[in-house]
Amino acid sequence: MARPSKNGLDYFPFDTDFFCDEKIVCVAGEHGDIGWIVALKLLVAIYRNGYWLKWTEAVRFKMLLENGGLSGEKLDAIVESLLKWGFFDRGLFEKEGVLTSRGIQRRYFSIARRRKEADRPFLLVSENSENSENSENSENSENSGKPTAAEVTGHFRAQNAPRRLRDWE
C-alpha cells in the first residue's frame, strides 16, 4: 500500500537570527513579544499545511484560541504589521487572502524537493528556487552574507585544509 502524500512538513528550518531579523524586530517593536510569537505560530501553521495559509475567519479564531488573552483587534494589527514589514507578501494577501513569502516558499521547496505534487497554487518562486538566479536577485537581503561555492573552496585552500575541502565538496 502506497504512503499517502502529505502537503505539509513535519519540521522546518528555523534561522538562528530569527529574532534579529529587522522584520521581526519591527513587529516586536510595535506589538511586544506577542508579535514574534504570532509570527512563529503562523509559520508553524503555514509549514504544517505546505507553503501558504489562507487567512480565513476559522484560522483567525484558531490563532485567537491558541493565544489566550489576545484580542481580535490586536491579532489583526499584528498580521497587518507582518504584511507592512514584508514578512508576508502583501500583494498575494490582498489578492487571495493568502499568507506566504518568497523565503517561506524557498525553505519549503528545499525540504520537500523530492515530493511530487501536481497542484501548487500561489507560487512566488519556482520549485527549484535554490538554484534560480531570479530568486537570488529578487531578495538579496535574505542571501547576503551567504558565501558562494567558489568562496568556500578558496577559504579552505587558503587555510591549507585539503581534508576539510574534500569533506565539504
Side-chain angles (χ1 to χ4, degrees):
M1 177 180 249
R3 183 177 178 193
S5 75
K6 183 176 181 176
N7 288 332
L9 302 174
D10 295 323
Y11 69 95
F12 65 95
F14 185 76
D15 296 335
T16 57
D17 63 349
F18 176 81
F19 300 104
C20 300
D21 182 298
E22 78 175 24
K23 297 168 190 170
I24 292 300
V25 169
C26 291
V27 171
E30 288 181 353
H31 304 285
D33 288 342
I34 194 66
W36 65 259
I37 291 169
V38 168
L40 190 54
K41 287 191 174 195
L42 285 170
L43 283 177
V44 169
I46 289 168
Y47 286 123
R48 184 182 308 123
N49 295 301
Y51 57 89
W52 58 276
L53 179 68
K54 184 82 169 175
W55 186 246
T56 63
E57 283 297 306
V59 171
R60 183 176 177 271
F61 287 134
K62 185 175 181 183
M63 289 296 297
L64 289 170
L65 182 65
E66 289 176 357
N67 295 288
L70 182 66
S71 71
E73 294 78 25
K74 182 71 167 178
L75 177 60
D76 294 340
I78 292 169
V79 170
E80 175 57 34
S81 290
L82 290 165
L83 291 163
K84 175 175 87 173
W85 294 108
F87 190 80
F88 295 121
D89 184 86
R90 181 177 288 284
L92 194 52
F93 181 78
E94 289 176 354
K95 184 177 179 186
E96 300 288 342
V98 168
L99 296 172
T100 190
S101 72
R102 293 179 195 281
I104 288 169
Q105 292 184 12
R106 277 199 304 273
R107 281 186 285 283
Y108 173 84
F109 287 119
S110 74
I111 294 169
R113 210 175 306 173
R114 291 172 270 172
R115 291 187 182 167
K116 301 288 182 215
E117 295 180 37
D119 186 26
R120 295 193 191 264
F122 309 119
L123 279 178
L124 296 171
V125 300
S126 71
E127 292 181 42
N128 351 341
S129 66
E130 276 192 314
N131 302 324
S132 168
E133 282 184 36
N134 290 341
S135 67
E136 288 179 19
N137 292 337
S138 65
E139 288 197 11
N140 285 334
S141 62
E142 286 190 25
N143 294 329
S144 63
K146 186 187 270 187
T148 65
E151 290 170 334
V152 172
T153 302
H155 170 76
F156 283 130
R157 287 200 174 115
Q159 299 295 319
N160 197 15
R163 185 182 64 74
R164 289 177 56 204
L165 178 59
R166 280 193 308 276
D167 290 346
W168 181 79
E169 288 176 331

